[in-house]
């Protein structure tokens, strides 16, 4: 009866504090992973399995402080409510009171060792495998009519129309900007989207179009082309 009461009290505090620690650690890592996936063009559908691979690692980090806090909160509560004195006057010794807590600590220690020796390496392997798969399954060069693709300060692609695959474009418009303030604008009758060899950079093949090249404090240059291919970061 006393054992169950002590274990329930320690477990409640440890579970509440551990859940807060675990959620904070996972949220911080999730935000970093989202930023990395966005920068590399990875597929966000892989985010849940990527995070699942990190669960053993963060559980191993959460268990020790959660148990210590749960133990401290339990002792503070028992002392404040004078429950320890009641237990001692009823004939229980200190060694009898701490026995279930020592057993719980040993069990959690064994769980931590298992997480570090078995589950964590497997989780890290799954994490790296899913992250690589997310990059490989990234954006596949598709654009719908009237949609805008890219970053306003770097590159923008849009088109008046596209076919069912989203890769063959009608009257595409491309604006490319550099950090030095130069801007290149392409318009064409037709265009086709593809991916560069790195799997992240968009390749655009343009047919029968014009190009406008503007540089700071210089006259703009205008040209025409029959066929031209450009990369869009």
């Amino acid at each position: 009866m006393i054992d169950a009461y002590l274990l329930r009290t320690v477990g409640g505090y440890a579970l509440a504090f551990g859940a807060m620690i675990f959620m904070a650690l996972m949220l911080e890592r999730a935000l970093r992973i989202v930023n990395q996936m966005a920068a590399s063009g990875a597929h966000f559908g892989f985010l849940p399995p990527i995070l699942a691979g990190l669960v053993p690692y963060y559980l191993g980090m959460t268990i020790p402080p959660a148990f210590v806090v749960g133990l401290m909160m339990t002792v503070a509560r028992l002392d404040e409510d004078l429950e320890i004195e009641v237990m001692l006057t009823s004939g229980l010794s200190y060694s009898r009171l701490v026995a279930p807590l020592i057993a719980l600590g040993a069990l959690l220690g064994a769980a931590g060792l298992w997480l570090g020796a078995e589950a964590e390496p497997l989780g890290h392997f799954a994490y790296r495998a899913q992250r690589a798969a997310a990059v490989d399954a990234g954006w596949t060069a598709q654009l719908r009519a009237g949609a805008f693709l890219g970053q306003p300060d770097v590159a923008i692609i849009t088109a008046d129309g596209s076919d069912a695959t989203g890769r063959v474009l009608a009257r595409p418009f491309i604006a490319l900007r550099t950090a030095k303030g130069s801007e290149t604008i392409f318009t064409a009758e037709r265009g086709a989207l593809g991916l560069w060899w790195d799997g992240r950079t968009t390749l655009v093949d343009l047919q029968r179009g014009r190009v406008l090249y503007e540089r700071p404090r210089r006259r703009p240059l205008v040209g025409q082309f029959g066929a031209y291919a450009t990369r869009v970061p």
Side-chain angles (χ1 to χ4, degrees):
M1 189 69 178
I2 295 297
D3 293 348
Y5 174 71
L6 292 175
L7 293 176
R8 185 170 62 250
T9 305
V10 174
Y13 286 124
L15 184 61
F17 185 75
M20 289 189 294
I21 296 178
F22 180 77
M23 291 176 62
L25 292 174
M26 289 294 292
L27 180 59
E28 186 273 337
R29 189 61 180 270
L31 292 177
R32 282 196 289 153
I33 292 175
V34 167
N35 289 333
Q36 294 171 358
M37 294 176 69
S40 61
H43 196 288
F44 282 97
F46 286 84
L47 182 59
I50 289 176
L51 293 177
L54 297 173
V55 169
Y57 172 70
Y58 285 114
L59 275 180
M61 294 181 61
T62 300
I63 290 176
F67 174 68
V68 172
V69 170
L71 190 60
M72 294 175 60
M73 294 291 292
T74 300
V75 173
R77 173 183 166 182
L78 295 177
D79 182 62
E80 182 180 0
D81 296 340
L82 301 179
E83 294 184 62
I84 295 180
E85 286 77 2
V86 174
M87 295 178 185
L88 293 176
T89 55
S90 65
L92 296 176
S93 63
Y94 280 111
S95 59
R96 179 63 182 85
L97 292 178
V98 300
L101 304 180
I102 294 176
L104 178 60
L107 180 62
L108 294 178
L113 290 175
W114 178 81
L115 286 172
E118 296 290 340
E120 185 178 331
L122 295 176
H124 273 293
F125 176 80
Y127 161 74
R128 296 183 183 277
Q130 291 295 331
R131 190 173 64 174
V135 174
D136 293 340
W139 186 65
T140 56
Q142 296 180 352
L143 180 67
R144 298 305 174 186
F148 289 86
L149 183 66
Q151 306 176 37
D153 296 334
V154 180
I156 294 178
I157 307 175
T158 187
D160 291 340
S162 64
D163 68 349
T165 66
R167 298 185 179 182
V168 179
L169 309 178
R171 297 176 296 280
F173 173 91
I174 303 174
L176 305 176
R177 297 181 177 88
T178 66
K180 296 182 179 180
S182 301
E183 183 173 11
T184 305
I185 297 176
F186 296 93
T187 59
E189 293 184 11
R190 294 175 59 84
L193 293 180
L195 287 178
W196 192 242
W197 61 268
D198 60 4
R200 296 188 296 270
T201 305
T202 303
L203 179 67
V204 187
D205 290 313
L206 301 173
Q207 302 292 327
R208 296 186 298 276
R210 293 188 175 187
V211 56
L212 171 65
Y213 182 51
E214 293 183 328
R215 294 172 294 177
R217 297 183 297 276
R218 295 189 181 184
R219 295 181 59 184
L221 302 177
V222 180
Q224 294 183 344
F225 56 85
Y228 187 81
T230 183
R231 288 179 295 169
V232 181

